[in-house]
Amino acid sequence: MSILNPHARDLAVVREPLRRWIERQDPALGRVEILSLTANTGGSGQSNDTFFATVAHDGGQLDLVVRCGPADVSRALFLDYDIPKQFRLMRALAEHSDVPVAPVRWFSEDPTLFGGPFYVMDFVAGDIPSDFPPCLTTPLIADATEEQQGRMWWSTVETIAKIGCTDWRRAGLQWLAPTGGRSPLEHDIDSYERLLWSGRVGSPAWPEAEEAAAWLRAHRPADEPVGLLWGDVRMPNLVFRDHWVAAVLDWEMAGLGNPEADLVTFLVYQYNVERQIDPVHSRPRPPGFGSDDETVATYEELVGRSVRHFDFYWVFATYRYLAIAQRYYMWAIDSGAMSRDEAEHRKVTGGERVRSMMQVVHKEGGRRR
């Protein structure tokens, strides 16, 4: 958080205006008092700003979460923070699907409290795996039994399938479609290429990432199914209760596209956390987690169709991580949290991964048939 958003908000200044704002949203609450207001300092969910509020009112007490864009947008991880999109999407999913999401309460465009749009949702009790340190090293997974690990893995796969099978038209999510006649995939490739180049400021070129963008355009599948995509598919964006998925968080990368992209993104993330550049944090896949083949087979059974473009989406998900990492490394170098040599070492390793995958697809006919 200190790398991406070093200028933290003064919550003491926000506290009273937020209290009055909550009272206006629901007069039935009566007199409201904010018992605590704290910023998220955990190991995940930090690309947006997140605040936890415990609120007393005439009828009892509420545990709430406030989400807004970063205070310093010039150092944001993404180029765009569509807070209204997140709110509208979560509300639609709560009303029209069985995807577990946190109940959203209120939304505001008023910039006086948090500098821009924000929304408030209910706090969902449970456990969230950490991003920093990597999730496989944290007790929630590392100290779990094999059966508990299996619950986490397979309930995550089931949740990914639920998202992809959501009737997004019935849910009124047509507004997620890109404009200008482009397909969702074309839009995404263009968007992450823009993100990649935005991170090039003061940073050496990354030829493997540029090669990947060209490869993706040349090998883009045609006539794909279109479904809802979560986008940022990984366990640190899930709340677990008793090792079952209780809520899906972080919808900022959501959109439309081929639903199998979410499954492959999940497996690419898993691949990456198992092969940390820092050997201290690298871990083998836990025994309760499924293999890639088992996971794909289970997903296919859940959604009732075959995964046809595993290889393409493996390259795409890896490329997307490279684009995000490029921007992160720029801020890490600038803040002194990472040396330029370390950032370049990480870039070389990440570039080798995406280049090797492109070679496998080209020379061997695919990682998976």
Side-chain angles (χ1 to χ4, degrees), residues 222-277:
D223 302 321
E224 292 188 289
V226 176
L228 178 65
L229 296 178
W230 172 17
D232 200 1
V233 188
R234 51 205 175 95
M235 284 187 174
N237 284 339
L238 293 167
V239 179
F240 291 90
R241 191 178 301 133
D242 194 24
H243 295 86
W244 297 102
V245 172
V248 182
L249 307 175
D250 286 1
W251 290 91
E252 63 194 357
M253 293 169 63
L256 299 180
N258 185 341
E260 70 186 59
D262 268 356
L263 175 74
V264 181
T265 298
F266 170 60
L267 293 175
V268 168
Y269 174 79
Q270 187 62 37
Y271 175 93
N272 287 335
V273 297
E274 291 166 9
R275 293 162 178 79
Q276 290 288 322
I277 294 172

Side-chain angles (χ1 to χ4, degrees), residues 314-357:
W314 188 280
V315 175
F316 174 68
T318 305
Y319 171 73
R320 188 165 58 177
Y321 280 124
L322 297 185
I324 295 170
Q326 171 91 326
R327 195 166 169 89
Y328 181 84
Y329 296 157
M330 179 176 68
W331 301 139
I333 293 169
D334 183 60
S335 68
M338 185 181 293
S339 70
R340 187 172 295 275
D341 286 346
E342 181 182 358
E344 289 306 309
H345 171 62
R346 289 174 179 267
K347 285 172 62 176
V348 168
T349 303
E352 288 172 348
R353 287 177 184 172
V354 72
R355 179 176 280 173
S356 66
M357 184 57 199

